[in-house]
C-alpha cells in the first residue's frame, strides 16, 4: 500500500512540474500585463484626443475595438497568472505537509536518542562500556561509536532546526501566494467591470457610425478608389517584371539554340573534312551530344518534371525567394512604434452596413515617421499617386508595398537591406498619420502581412 502511495505521489509531482514548465513564468506574465496596460493607456489617450470629432468616427471605432481586444487579453493574462498561483499554492501546501511529517519523525527519533542518553548518563556506565571491551581494538571501536553517537544527536538537532526554517519559509511563500492570488482576483474583477464599460463605449461609437453612415460610406469608397489605383500600379509593375523576366529567358533560350546550332554545324564541317581526306568513305554520325534546348524550361525534382517560371530561372531570384520564405513570421515591422488600425481582409463594421476590404495592414502613427524595408530586395517601382507616394520592393517572387508616403528616399533599381529607410509617412484624408503595408506574390495575390511579421 505504501509503495502504491509513493508511486502516485511521484507521478503527480512529475505531472505538476511538467505542467509548470510548459506555462509562462509569472515574470513573463507580469511583463505582458505591463505591455497591455501601456497599450490600453495609449488607446485611451488616442480616444480622448478624437472625442467629438465626427470625421474620426471610423477611427474611434477601430480604437475601441483594439481596446476591447487588449482588455480581453489582459483578463486572460490575469487568469493564467491565477492558474499559476493555484499550482504554486498546491505545491507549497504539499511541501508543508511533507516537511511537517518529516519534522515529526525527526523529533520522535531525537527524543528517543535523548532518553537513551539520559538513561546512560553516568560516568560509570561509560567506563563499564569501555572496560568491558575484549581487547584494545574493541575499546577503540567503542570510543569511536560513542563519538559518532554524540555527533548523530547533534546532527539530528541541526536537521530539525533546518527543517523548521524551511517549513517557515514555505509557509511564508504560501502566504505570499495567497495574497498575490487575492490581488490578482481583485484585478481581474476590476478589468472585467472596465471591459463592460468598454463595450458600452463601443455601442455608443457604433450608434455614432450609424448616424454618419452616409458620410462614412463616401470615405470608405474614396479609400477603396485610392487602393484600386495602387493595386493597378502594383499589377502593372509586377506584369512588367514578368515580361522582362520572360524576355531575359527568351534571350537565353535563343542564345542556347544558336550555340547548339553552331556546335552542330561545326561538327558536320569537321566530319565532312575528315571524310574528304579518305576517298570512298561515308560520312559518320557525330559523337558529340547536342543539348536539347526544348527541355531547358523544365527542372527535375523528386516529384517529376516541374515547370520553371520566369521568377526562379535566375539564381538570384531563387535565393531571394527562399530567404523571404524562411523568415516568414520573423520579419521586422516596417515602422517603429505606431499601432495596427486596420487588419488584412474583409471586415464588416458592427451594427452598420459599412464594410472594409483591406489588401494590407493599416498603421496609425505620427506624420513623418520613418518607413523601413522588412527584408533584403530591390526597389521594383516608386509610384506617384497624386498627393502621396508608394514603394514596391521585390524579394524574388515576393513583393512588399509601402504606401501613403509623403516622401521617398529610394528609386527604382536600388538595392535595399532589412531596415533600409524607404520614406516618411503621410497624412490620410482625416489629417492623421497613416501607413499601409502589403505583401504580394508573383501571381499578384495579396497575402496577410500579419503572418509574415514577427510578434511585437
Amino acid at each position: 500500500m505504501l509503495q502504491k502511495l509513493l508511486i502516485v505521489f511521484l507521478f503527480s509531482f512529475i505531472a505538476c512540474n511538467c505542467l509548470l514548465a510548459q506555462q509562462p513564468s509569472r515574470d513573463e506574465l507580469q511583463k505582458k500585463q505591463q505591455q497591455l496596460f501601456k497599450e490600453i493607456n495609449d488607446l485611451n489617450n488616442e480616444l480622448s484626443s478624437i472625442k467629438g470629432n465626427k470625421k474620426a468616427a471610423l477611427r474611434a471605432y477601430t480604437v475601441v475595438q483594439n481596446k476591447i481586444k487588449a482588455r480581453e487579453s489582459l483578463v486572460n493574462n490575469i487568469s493564467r497568472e491565477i492558474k499559476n498561483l493555484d499550482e504554486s499554492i498546491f505545491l507549497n501546501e504539499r511541501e508543508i505537509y511533507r516537511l511537517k511529517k518529516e519534522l515529526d519523525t525527526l523529533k520522535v527519533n531525537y527524543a528517543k536518542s535523548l532518553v537513551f542518553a539520559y538513561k546512560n548518563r553516568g560516568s560509570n556506565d561509560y567506563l563499564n562500556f569501555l572496560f568491558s571491551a575484549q581487547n584494545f581494538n574493541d575499546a577503540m571501536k567503542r570510543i569511536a561509536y560513542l563519538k559518532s553517537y554524540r555527533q548523530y544527536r547533534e546532527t539530528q538537532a541541526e536537521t530539525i532546526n533546518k527543517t523548521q526554517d524551511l517549513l517557515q519559509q514555505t509557509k511564508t511563500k504560501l502566504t505570499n501566494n495567497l495574497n498575490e492570488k487575492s490581488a490578482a482576483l481583485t484585478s481581474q474583477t476590476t478589468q472585467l467591470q472596465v471591459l463592460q464599460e468598454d463595450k458600452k463605449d463601443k455601442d455608443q461609437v457604433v450608434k455614432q457610425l450609424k448616424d454618419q453612415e452616409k458620410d462614412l460610406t463616401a470615405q470608405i469608397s474614396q479609400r477603396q478608389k485610392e487602393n484600386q489605383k495602387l493595386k493597378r500600379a502594383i499589377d502593372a509593375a509586377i506584369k512588367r517584371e514578368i515580361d522582362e523576366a520572360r524576355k531575359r529567358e527568351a534571350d537565353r533560350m535563343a542564345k542556347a539554340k544558336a550555340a547548339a546550332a553552331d556546335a552542330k554545324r561545326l561538327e558536320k564541317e569537321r566530319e565532312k573534312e575528315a571524310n574528304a581526306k579518305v576517298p570512298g568513305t561515308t560520312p559518320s554520325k557525330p559523337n558529340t551530344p547536342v543539348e536539347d534546348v526544348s527541355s531547358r524550361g523544365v527542372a527535375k525534382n523528386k516529384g517529376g518534371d516541374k515547370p520553371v517560371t520566369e521568377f526562379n530561372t535566375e539564381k538570384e531570384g531563387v535565393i531571394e525567394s527562399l530567404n523571404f520564405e524562411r523568415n516568414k513570421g520573423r520579419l521586422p515591422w516596417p515602422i517603429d512604434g505606431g499601432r495596427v488600425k486596420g487588419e488584412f481582409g474583409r471586415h464588416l463594421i458592427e451594427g452598420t452596413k459599412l464594410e472594409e476590404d483591406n489588401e494590407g495592414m493599416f498603421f496609425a502613427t505620427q506624420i513623418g515617421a520613418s518607413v523601413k524595408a522588412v527584408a533584403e530586395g530591390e526597389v521594383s517601382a516608386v509610384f506617384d499617386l497624386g498627393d502621396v507616394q508608394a514603394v514596391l520592393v521585390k524579394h524574388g517572387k515576393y513583393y512588399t508595398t509601402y504606401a501613403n508616403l509623403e516622401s521617398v528616399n529610394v528609386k527604382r533599381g536600388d538595392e535595399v537591406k532589412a531596415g533600409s529607410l524607404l520614406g516618411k509617412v503621410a497624412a490620410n484624408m482625416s489629417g492623421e498619420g497613416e501607413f499601409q503595408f502589403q505583401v504580394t506574390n508573383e501571381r499578384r495575390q495579396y497575402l496577410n502581412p500579419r503572418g509574415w511579421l514577427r510578434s511585437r
Side-chain angles (χ1 to χ4, degrees):
M1 183 66 182
L2 180 60
Q3 187 177 6
K4 289 183 179 179
L5 287 174
L6 287 172
I7 293 172
V8 171
F9 176 81
L10 179 62
F11 273 106
S12 63
F13 179 78
I14 294 172
C16 287
N17 281 309
C18 290
L19 189 62
L20 285 172
Q22 292 174 355
Q23 293 183 354
S25 66
R26 188 161 181 267
D27 289 339
E28 291 173 339
L29 290 172
Q30 288 185 335
K31 185 178 179 181
K32 181 65 176 176
Q33 282 184 36
Q34 292 173 359
Q35 292 174 349
L36 289 168
F37 273 121
K38 183 180 183 305
E39 182 181 349
I40 291 170
N41 186 55
D42 292 341
L43 290 167
N44 281 329
N45 292 336
E46 185 175 355
L47 197 59
S48 299
S49 67
I50 58 177
K51 192 174 182 179
N53 185 353
K54 293 183 178 181
K55 291 183 179 180
L58 201 57
R59 179 184 167 195
Y61 172 79
T62 304
V63 172
V64 171
Q65 283 279 75
N66 289 336
K67 190 166 72 162
I68 289 174
K69 288 179 183 178
R71 189 81 65 186
E72 289 173 342
S73 295
L74 180 59
V75 171
N76 291 335
N77 188 277
I78 295 173
S79 296
R80 293 171 76 181
E81 183 183 2
I82 291 171
K83 187 177 180 181
N84 279 4
L85 287 169
D86 282 337
E87 289 166 356
S88 296
I89 289 169
F90 169 74
L91 292 174
N92 285 328
E93 286 177 340
R94 190 176 62 187
E95 181 67 7
I96 288 171
Y97 174 79
R98 185 189 69 79
L99 289 170
K100 283 183 176 178
K101 296 289 288 183
E102 183 179 339
L103 191 60
D104 290 342
T105 303
L106 289 170
K107 287 180 177 179
V108 169
N109 292 335
Y110 186 63
K112 288 179 179 179
S113 66
L114 288 178
V115 170
F116 178 80
Y118 178 77
K119 288 181 178 180
N120 298 277
R121 67 187 181 281
S123 59
N124 291 332
D125 292 331
Y126 177 78
L127 293 174
N128 288 334
F129 179 69
L130 289 178
F131 288 131
S132 63
Q134 296 178 357
N135 51 48
F136 179 76
N137 287 336
D138 187 20
M140 293 302 296
K141 287 180 181 178
R142 294 189 181 205
I143 292 172
Y145 168 74
L146 291 172
K147 286 183 178 179
S148 64
Y149 187 71
R150 187 180 296 109
Q151 290 174 353
Y152 168 68
R153 290 205 312 271
E154 293 173 356
T155 303
Q156 279 184 312
E158 186 179 349
T159 303
I160 289 172
N161 290 331
K162 287 182 178 179
T163 304
Q164 287 176 332
D165 291 341
L166 186 58
L167 178 61
Q168 186 57 45
Q169 290 173 12
T170 308
K171 285 182 177 180
T172 302
K173 286 182 183 178
L174 178 61
T175 302
N176 292 337
N177 289 154
L178 291 170
N179 292 336
E180 289 166 358
K181 181 182 177 181
S182 177
L185 286 170
T186 302
S187 176
Q188 186 183 50
T189 302
T190 302
Q191 293 304 320
L192 286 170
Q193 292 172 350
V194 178
L195 180 60
Q196 296 305 314
E197 295 298 322
D198 290 339
K199 291 180 177 179
K200 290 179 182 178
D201 291 341
K202 177 185 169 184
D203 293 337
Q204 293 178 357
V205 173
V206 170
K207 183 178 181 301
Q208 188 178 0
L209 289 174
K210 284 181 181 179
D211 297 338
Q212 301 177 26
E213 193 165 344
K214 186 176 180 180
D215 294 336
L216 292 173
T217 301
Q219 287 184 28
I220 292 173
S221 177
Q222 180 62 29
R223 171 180 277 185
Q224 288 177 343
K225 286 179 181 178
E226 292 177 354
N227 285 339
Q228 286 299 317
K229 185 177 179 181
L230 175 61
K231 185 176 181 180
R232 286 193 296 271
I234 293 171
D235 288 348
I238 294 177
K239 184 178 181 301
R240 183 194 70 230
E241 292 279 355
I242 292 174
D243 291 341
E244 290 177 356
R246 284 175 177 168
K247 185 176 182 303
R248 287 194 299 270
E249 180 64 12
D251 292 342
R252 188 183 67 81
M253 292 288 287
K255 289 178 181 179
K257 286 181 179 180
D262 288 342
K264 192 172 183 179
R265 179 178 54 79
L266 289 171
E267 186 63 28
K268 284 183 178 181
E269 289 177 356
R270 292 193 192 100
E271 284 292 327
K272 189 176 180 181
E273 290 176 0
N275 291 332
K277 293 178 181 179
V278 183
T281 59
T282 57
S284 60
K285 294 182 180 179
N287 295 324
T288 305
V290 179
E291 180 183 12
D292 182 7
V293 293
S294 63
S295 65
R296 292 190 61 177
V298 175
K300 300 291 183 180
N301 62 7
K302 293 181 181 179
D305 292 345
K306 179 181 177 182
V308 176
T309 69
E310 51 274 2
F311 281 93
N312 59 10
T313 54
E314 298 170 344
K315 183 178 179 180
E316 293 79 6
V318 175
I319 294 173
E320 288 180 355
S321 299
L322 290 174
N323 287 341
F324 196 79
E325 287 176 349
R326 286 169 183 162
N327 285 298
K328 186 175 183 179
R330 297 195 299 268
L331 295 176
W333 286 63
I335 57 171
D336 297 327
R339 115 191 120 66
V340 178
K341 62 176 291 188
E343 292 284 355
F344 173 85
R346 189 181 297 273
H347 307 282
L348 289 172
I349 298 176
E350 186 180 333
T352 70
K353 296 178 181 179
L354 300 172
E355 183 181 66
E356 283 187 312
D357 189 9
N358 299 332
E359 253 123 31
M361 286 173 65
F362 285 87
F363 295 82
T365 185
Q366 297 293 327
I367 297 173
S370 297
V371 175
K372 303 172 184 178
V374 298
E376 182 179 357
E378 178 185 343
V379 177
S380 180
V382 175
F383 307 123
D384 189 350
L385 304 172
D387 295 334
V388 295
Q389 294 174 284
V391 175
L392 181 69
V393 179
K394 179 183 176 184
H395 315 276
K397 66 177 182 178
Y398 295 98
Y399 292 84
T400 52
T401 305
Y402 310 80
N404 201 51
L405 306 179
E406 66 177 8
S407 62
V408 171
N409 292 64
V410 292
K411 63 182 183 303
R412 184 187 174 193
D414 284 353
E415 298 288 337
V416 295
K417 303 284 185 183
S420 295
L421 180 64
L422 301 179
K424 301 288 186 178
V425 174
N428 61 9
M429 292 179 291
S430 302
E432 301 158 342
E434 184 179 279
F435 161 69
Q436 184 182 183
F437 175 67
Q438 299 177 346
V439 179
T440 322
N441 61 18
E442 85 281 13
R443 294 187 296 276
R444 285 168 275 184
Q445 294 174 329
Y446 288 83
L447 311 174
N448 189 350
R450 177 71 76 172
W452 292 86
L453 300 175
R454 66 189 176 202
S455 300
R456 269 186 166 175

